[in-house]
Amino acid sequence: MNEMTSVSQETSAKTPALPDAQTVTDVKHWTDRLFSFRMTRPASMRFRSGEFVMIGLMGEVNEKTGKAKPLLRAYSIASPSWDEELEFYSIKVQDGPLTSRLQHIKVGDEVIMRPKPVGTLVHDALLPGKRIWFFATGTGFAPFASLLREPQTYEDYDEIIITHTCREAGELTYGRELIEGLQQDELLNEVIGDGFWKKIKYYPTTTREQSPKMGRITDLMRSGEAFDELGVEPLNPESDRAMICGNLAFNLELKEMFEEYGLEEGANSKPAHYVVEKAFLD
């Protein structure tokens, strides 16, 4: 794991040179594979915590036309709906068309964003319940970083369980520090209620590097170990709701398990017991 670096400073107001561009205000490199960044938010932009937008940079100039087109990818918004800025959490892919360049952004740089948020990981897509589960792998933690700072999450549920599975221990740092930071968040403690964070049960695991808890969350659920350690019963449609944001194999495996539990997949147009973010690719 590389030493975490942080760069933050006042960004002077200026007219963006790129279409639909926002200005980067902060960048943090968590490991050699992961980084997060914050940027300005359009005053007119509205979104629901858990949604995603298309962001990116200008692509290479086409030799035939002499023009360049935006290179955009879907990114979950990691900041809550009330935040004055937008936060994103990203993987670094050295030969990736976008992330090979995006990972090098600095404070003051511009990032293109299409301000039309969409997504299924929203409270509106779930029926009322007592407990909500957030299942994430890798940078799939991003939408839950938003929802964990959303007051409605604590108004709607008595208990919030978040599982985060990564290959290496350092890849859990972003999520762990965010959850630990909720305890000292004066604004949220005032708005939601002092000690709101006590509703959270955090269950991080790794699959390659040694850590306090090893194993894939799906295996730990099948064995019953995860439920025993969390002190809860397996998911059931009467009390449990769930959101999934992970790699494709993880999503499909959890969906199969949820169907066995009797849970039905929901959508904005038809709320049910669980939802999956189909746009995410780790």
Side-chain angles (χ1 to χ4, degrees), residues 46-52 77 79-81 117-125 146-147 150 268:
R46 298 291 182 271
F47 70 94
R48 295 174 294 175
S49 293
E51 290 187 314
F52 66 86
I77 303 172
S79 48
S81 61
V118 293
T120 57
L121 299 186
V122 293
H123 288 304
D124 295 342
S146 175
L147 287 158
E150 170 58 54
N268 281 280

Side-chain angles (χ1 to χ4, degrees), residues 87-155:
E87 180 180 341
F88 298 93
Y89 184 43
S90 178
I91 193 171
K92 303 176 186 179
V93 181
Q94 299 309 318
D95 57 351
L98 177 59
T99 59
S100 61
R101 297 168 54 200
L102 192 64
Q103 64 184 286
H104 299 298
I105 58 173
K106 304 180 300 296
V107 170
D109 288 349
E110 294 179 351
V111 174
I112 301 169
M113 183 187 72
R114 296 287 188 257
K116 295 181 180 179
V118 293
T120 57
L121 299 186
V122 293
H123 288 304
D124 295 342
L126 295 175
L127 294 170
K130 294 182 179 180
R131 178 189 300 116
I132 189 165
W133 295 73
F134 296 147
F135 292 95
T137 61
T139 53
F141 189 92
F144 305 134
S146 175
L147 287 158
L148 285 167
R149 291 178 282 185
E150 170 58 54
Q152 185 181 349
T153 302
Y154 304 91
E155 295 168 3

Side-chain angles (χ1 to χ4, degrees), residues 17-37:
L18 300 176
D20 294 325
Q22 297 302 315
T23 304
V24 176
T25 61
D26 184 78
V27 182
K28 290 184 180 180
H29 293 274
W30 300 90
T31 73
D32 58 357
R33 296 183 65 249
L34 300 169
F35 72 107
S36 64
F37 61 96

Side-chain angles (χ1 to χ4, degrees), residues 173-245:
T173 306
Y174 173 82
R176 185 187 69 249
E177 289 195 1
L178 185 145
I179 292 173
E180 291 175 349
L182 295 177
Q183 299 182 31
Q184 285 78 44
D185 194 311
E186 295 182 2
L187 175 62
L188 287 179
N189 275 278
E190 180 179 347
V191 172
I192 303 174
D194 189 36
F196 74 94
W197 44 270
K198 294 178 182 178
K199 287 188 174 184
I200 299 172
K201 288 186 175 180
Y202 174 47
Y203 196 74
T205 71
T206 56
T207 57
R208 293 188 184 178
E209 185 179 10
Q210 189 67 36
S211 71
K213 192 65 200 177
M214 300 285 295
R216 300 166 70 247
I217 184 60
T218 47
D219 292 338
L220 295 167
M221 289 167 66
R222 284 198 178 89
S223 70
E225 189 173 343
F227 300 121
D228 289 342
E229 293 181 338
L230 287 166
V232 298
E233 295 294 322
L235 284 75
N236 71 80
E238 284 71 37
S239 60
D240 293 284
R241 302 295 175 260
M243 295 183 178
I244 311 170
C245 191

Side-chain angles (χ1 to χ4, degrees), residues 60-69:
E60 300 295 330
V61 175
N62 185 297
E63 293 183 359
K64 294 183 179 180
T65 64
K67 297 181 180 180
K69 293 182 178 180

